[in-house]
Each structure stands twice: as structure tokens, then as C-alpha cells.
Amino acid sequence: MEPKPSLLRNILVRVFLFCVLVIGVRFAYVVTIRGESCDLGDFCFFSLPDNLNFVTGIRQMSSSAIIIHDAVRSAPAKTDGGDLWSTEGWRKSVQFYASVFHDLIAEGFLSPDSKSLCVETPNGEEVFALKESGVPDSIGIYKKGSKPLVVSGKAFRQPFDDNTFDFIFSGNGSLDRSPKPAEFAAEVARTLKPDGYFVVHTASKDTYSFNSFIDLFNCCTLIRSREIDGFDSAMKVIREIVLKKDNEILGYGVKPHGKSVNKCSVPGYKRQLVQKAEPLITEEPKKPWITLKRNIQNIKYLPSMADINFKPRYVYIDVGARGYGSSIVSWFKKQYPKQNRTFEIYAIEADKAFHEEYRHKKGVNLIPYAAWVRNETLFFEVNQDPGREKEEKEKGRGMGRIKLVQSSGSVVGDVDEIQAFDFANWLKETVTEKDFVVMKMDVEGTEFDLIPRLIETGAICLIDEIFLECHYNRWQKCCPGERSSKYEKTYDQCLELFTSLRESGVLVHQWW
């Protein structure tokens, strides 16, 4: 019979296993959660060497922003294929950014004493180039850190105190791809010192996106904008923008929703897009149900003509939405070019027959009232083709199209008493002119009341793009040679409405 292990041996084994477990957990935490390199500082378990200097102003991070004056010690972590800093791509990138920073130093936007930050830099090429250019007090942030050049952090949630940096750089089109450009801008405004410089490299070169960018950074003054050659195929031509933070700003972040606007003038850069839009159909179509539907293929959408990246919010408003599967799904979600942006969707539909469809639809805000020129209770007649109610409901046509009537008496068909609201006032309280707003309007003739109201109140300037169905006494599909008696307006009056909007600088499309 073998002797039983001693008590001391049991204790030593358990202590050893416990230590191994602690080291393993620590390793998993650093690599998986924090994303730090593990070729530094005693297997990522103990603190980094004491001879490293630290940038001040970091909140709740004692050893995150690191400055190393020795270029070798500043190199990034090794990859599976060897040292990243020795690859051709890395060297080419560093050389490009070094030349950029040398120009900025020569122009006085950057100095060797500048405390500098590079945002959204996965491998820290920009940081390395800054150090090589004689700006040692530099650090980068990315969602997964790579010490000593890059610490863990996000551009729209920086781990630094207010007014920390003299210089902030955003390269490689990182702002173009940011899912939260407004928060990105707010954090730059917060961490950049007054009179500090913010330099951005963007792939966006159109006038619309440039003005959207300037509106986003209301903390700063534009110093200059120029185009430079890129260093790879991803960004062959780069727009470099230099901003300077103002001494006094009201605060950080995006202003609250809504803006009191009574009179407005559409800016020139938006008018330029109207000139590029598809021509209006000037001659009344004999078969409007065919001609206008085909015209959808000719529409030049705003996002196909300009970059919409630099907007605080993206909003789609469907006035007269009918069912969820109607224009929201069949057109906007499937066909409208959204440039990978997530839109807030508002469905304005007074017909109660469609309200249940929206009850469990995520991402859609139902407004179960009628868009109108003021807040009041009205009687509406629901338009239906006799004998086709079930078919139209299934196809999403006919039902939900509403027509204003003066009273509930002497009306053929279903009549409902429905609450109406001041659409122009609601729009001004919901969005701002800095947001990107798309509106589709199909309101059975009341567009001749709503559009003038939008113009009168200035709310029309809050909308970037309008898809408008104009209702007139069109030729009937069922009865050749006969016009519909539903509407009093003529095609010429509809054309006049579209023309006046475009002449005012509003990008409006004829909708079917």
C-alpha cells in the first residue's frame, strides 16, 4: 500500500494550480477583452517598465497613453507573419503620414511640443509617423489596443479628459465610416484644447458632404481644405481638412431635436443637386399608371449624387404610409440607397385598418393621425373600389387612401372621424436642418394644402429629398376617354407644384 500524500504536498499543488488559473484568467482578459499586446511587460501580467513616460489627462487609465522616444521600442506588436513595422505596407503608410505631418509642421498647425492624438488607427502608423517627425507626445486609440502606440478606445467615446490635446488627427477615412459621426465630432470638441487643430482625411469630395462636415463640427473654424494624392488604391485622392477649435463654444455634442424656423432659403450646394435631378414629365401621360411607375427607374436619388456620411441623424418619413409592406418595405428598405446608414422611420397613417401591422415592427414609429395644416378633428372618407376591398387590402392598394370631407353627411363609403395634426410644426420639433431627412408623401390631394404650409413655415428646408405623388383628375384605367372624378386638380397644376418646389431649390421627384 502506497503512503498517502502529505498535507504539505496537497497545499503546494493547490497553490500552484491556483496561480496557473490566475495567470490564465489574466491572459484571457488582456487579450480578449482589452485587446492589448502580450509581448510587453512580463506576459501582460505585470505593469510596463518604469522608464516609460505617460501622457497626462487620461481618465481612469494609469498606463494607457505611452510615449517612447526610442523608435524600436515604439514599434507595434509582432504578427503571425513577423514584425508588422517591417512590412512594405507599414513602411509605405508611415512614409506617407510622415510627409503629411511635415507639411502640417511647416504650416504651423503642428509642433514638436504638441500633445497629439490619432483616432481610429488599428496599427498606429500615424502615431509612429508623428514620433518619427519629432512629435514624441503622441498616442492613438482603436477599439482593440496595440501598445505602446495604440490604446483601447473609440473615437466617439474617448478615454481622455476635456481639453487634453493640442492636435487630433483622423486619417484613412475613419470619419467616413464612423457609425456615430455626431458623437465622433462631439468627442473631438471635448478633448481638443481651445486653439487646437483637428485634421481629417476623407474620401468625400462633393460640395454637399463638405458642407455637412462643416455643420457637424460647429465647435471649430475652417482653416483650409485641399486635395492630396493618397498612397493606396483605397483612397487615391484625399481631401484634407484643417479645423481650429474656437476659444468659446456653447457645449459639446448635438443640439436638441427641433429648430424654430419660419423663413428659410435652400443653400446653393443643395440647389446644385436639383440641377442634376431627372427631368420632370412635362406632358400629361395617357396611361399614368404605367408612365409614372416606369419613371421610378429614372430617379436620381440624392445618395447617388452625393456623400451623406456626415449627418447626425438619418430620418425617413412616410406620410400616407398605408401598410408596413407598402412603400416602407417594398421601396425604401429594398431600393433606396442608404449608404449603409441606419434610418429612423416614421409612418404617418390615419387609417385604423393598418395600425395593427405596426404594433410589433421594430424600428418604425407609427403616428396614427392625419398629416394636416393644424391640430383639429376631421371627417375623412376612405377611398375604395366597390367589390375589390379584400383584394386591395391584400395588395396594399386602395385601403388607407383618405380624402378630406366637410362633414359626415351625404357621403358614399366609409367615413371616420380622425384626429389631424400640424405636420409642419411636428416636423420642426422632430428634426433639424443638420439631419438627413427623406420624405415620401401620398395624401390623396391634401398635398396642395401641406406643401404650401411647409413652405410658409420654413419646414420645407428641413427635408433633403421628397418623393411626392400628386393627385389629379387622371385618365381612368377602366374607362378609356374618361377622367377620374375623385380629384379636382389638373396635371398642369401638379406640374406647377413640382416646378415651383424645384425652382425653390427643393429636390423633389414625381412619385407613383
Side-chain angles (χ1 to χ4, degrees):
M1 179 178 297
E2 296 182 2
K4 295 182 179 180
S6 67
L7 179 61
L8 179 60
R9 182 181 302 172
N10 276 336
I11 294 175
L12 291 175
V13 169
R14 292 181 180 181
V15 169
F16 174 76
L17 293 176
F18 177 76
C19 292
V20 171
L21 177 63
V22 170
I23 294 175
V25 170
R26 171 64 178 175
F27 176 80
Y29 168 76
V30 172
V31 175
T32 305
I33 305 300
R34 294 184 59 192
E36 308 290 351
S37 291
C38 282
D39 59 345
L40 296 170
D42 235 353
F43 197 59
C44 289
F45 188 73
F46 300 102
S47 59
L48 293 174
D50 294 333
N51 61 341
L52 298 184
N53 298 322
F54 300 97
V55 172
T56 59
I58 301 177
R59 298 181 298 176
Q60 300 178 354
M61 299 178 68
S62 60
S63 59
S64 295
I66 304 165
I67 300 170
I68 304 179
H69 299 283
D70 184 351
V72 176
R73 296 295 302 277
S74 298
K78 294 182 178 180
T79 63
D80 294 338
D83 291 327
L84 181 63
W85 56 270
S86 65
T87 64
E88 181 180 356
W90 167 270
R91 293 197 304 270
K92 188 176 180 180
S93 179
V94 169
Q95 290 173 0
F96 169 76
Y97 286 118
S99 67
V100 168
F101 295 139
H102 286 156
D103 290 344
L104 294 173
I105 290 174
E107 294 176 278
F109 305 134
L110 180 64
S111 73
D113 297 328
S114 297
K115 185 173 293 186
S116 305
L117 171 68
C118 298
V119 295
E120 298 297 318
T121 171
N123 301 313
E125 298 99 318
E126 301 96 316
V127 182
F128 192 86
L130 275 170
K131 295 177 182 293
E132 289 293 287
S133 301
V135 186
D137 200 348
S138 306
I139 192 64
I141 57 172
Y142 190 64
K143 61 183 178 181
K144 194 170 185 179
S146 180
K147 284 185 177 180
L149 297 179
V150 183
V151 299
S152 180
K154 296 181 179 179
F156 54 83
R157 192 166 58 248
Q158 298 179 19
F160 306 107
D161 289 331
D162 297 355
N163 303 322
T164 296
F165 297 100
D166 303 291
F167 178 85
I168 297 180
F169 180 75
S170 172
N172 198 31
S174 60
L175 180 55
D176 300 20
R177 301 186 301 272
S178 175
K180 300 179 179 180
E183 288 84 347
F184 189 122
E187 280 295 84
V188 168
R190 185 183 65 80
T191 59
L192 186 64
K193 293 179 181 179
D195 293 328
Y197 291 97
F198 175 51
V199 178
V200 181
H201 281 185
T202 172
S204 301
K205 296 179 287 293
D206 59 273
T207 307
Y208 182 91
S209 64
F210 177 75
N211 282 273
S212 299
F213 175 89
I214 298 301
D215 287 341
L216 198 62
F217 288 90
N218 57 359
C219 65
C220 305
T221 300
L222 173 66
I223 301 300
R224 70 158 169 79
S225 173
R226 66 171 182 171
E227 289 189 359
I228 60 176
D229 294 331
F231 66 94
D232 60 17
S233 58
M235 292 179 66
K236 293 182 179 180
V237 179
I238 297 172
R239 171 182 271 174
E240 182 179 80
I241 303 174
V242 179
L243 302 177
K244 183 178 181 180
K245 183 177 175 180
D246 299 331
N247 271 313
E248 295 183 6
I249 57 176
L250 297 178
Y252 311 123
V254 183
K255 294 181 179 179
H257 295 173
K259 185 174 183 178
S260 179
V261 177
N262 288 323
K263 296 293 182 180
C264 72
S265 177
V266 178
Y269 67 91
K270 286 189 176 182
R271 292 176 179 269
Q272 294 175 6
L273 295 176
V274 175
Q275 297 174 2
K276 299 178 182 178
E278 75 285 352
L280 297 173
I281 302 173
T282 56
E283 184 177 350
E284 180 182 357
K286 299 298 183 182
K287 297 180 179 180
W289 55 90
I290 296 178
T291 304
L292 294 175
K293 187 175 182 179
R294 287 178 177 174
N295 187 54
I296 296 178
Q297 306 301 322
N298 301 323
I299 288 178
K300 292 185 178 180
Y301 297 101
L302 193 156
S304 68
M305 298 186 287
D307 195 326
I308 64 171
N309 281 327
F310 309 124
K311 292 290 185 177
R313 296 167 65 215
Y314 301 85
V315 181
Y316 171 61
I317 303 171
D318 198 321
V319 188
R322 296 186 289 163
Y324 176 72
S326 184
S327 52
I328 292 179
V329 172
S330 64
W331 170 68
F332 183 75
K333 286 198 169 185
K334 292 184 178 180
Q335 299 182 41
Y336 188 81
K338 294 178 278 294
Q339 294 187 7
N340 295 320
R341 295 296 172 178
T342 300
F343 279 70
E344 300 174 35
I345 298 177
Y346 291 88
I348 300 176
E349 179 52 61
D351 191 347
K352 299 176 182 177
F354 294 104
H355 292 174
E356 186 63 27
E357 294 185 32
Y358 292 96
R359 186 178 298 276
H360 303 293
K361 301 300 181 184
K362 295 182 179 180
V364 180
N365 304 290
L366 172 65
I367 300 178
Y369 309 112
W372 189 230
V373 297
R374 54 186 167 270
N375 299 327
E376 62 179 337
T377 301
L378 299 172
F379 290 100
F380 282 84
E381 177 188 6
V382 180
N383 296 323
Q384 302 175 25
D385 289 336
R388 299 186 59 195
E389 291 85 351
K390 182 176 180 181
E391 177 187 353
E392 290 173 343
K393 174 65 175 177
E394 291 173 351
K395 293 184 178 180
R397 296 198 305 266
M399 292 292 293
R401 302 298 184 94
I402 53 180
K403 178 181 178 182
L404 175 65
V405 296
Q406 299 303 319
S407 67
S408 60
S410 302
V411 174
V412 178
D414 296 336
V415 176
D416 290 327
E417 185 179 79
I418 300 177
Q419 182 65 42
F421 70 102
D422 188 335
F423 175 67
N425 187 59
W426 172 86
L427 187 65
K428 291 165 64 176
E429 293 178 347
T430 304
V431 300
T432 73
E433 57 187 5
K434 293 184 180 182
D435 299 329
F436 184 75
V437 181
V438 181
M439 182 183 76
K440 188 226 77 180
M441 179 176 285
D442 180 4
V443 288
E444 292 300 307
T446 54
E447 61 268 14
F448 286 96
D449 299 288
L450 291 173
I451 295 298
R453 171 70 175 165
L454 290 173
I455 295 173
E456 174 191 348
T457 60
I460 194 72
C461 290
L462 301 175
I463 307 171
D464 291 86
E465 191 168 21
I466 301 177
F467 298 84
L468 174 63
E469 179 172 352
C470 189
H471 298 80
Y472 64 98
N473 58 344
R474 62 176 62 184
W475 298 109
Q476 295 193 67
K477 185 176 182 180
C478 66
C479 312
E482 294 185 18
R483 290 185 179 273
S484 170
S485 60
K486 285 185 185 179
Y487 311 106
E488 298 177 355
K489 301 296 184 180
T490 65
Y491 186 81
D492 287 341
Q493 288 176 299
C494 283
L495 184 61
E496 183 181 350
L497 181 62
F498 283 109
T499 303
S500 63
L501 283 170
R502 286 199 173 184
E503 288 178 349
S504 299
V506 179
L507 182 59
V508 62
H509 309 280
Q510 289 170 301
W511 187 249
W512 175 80

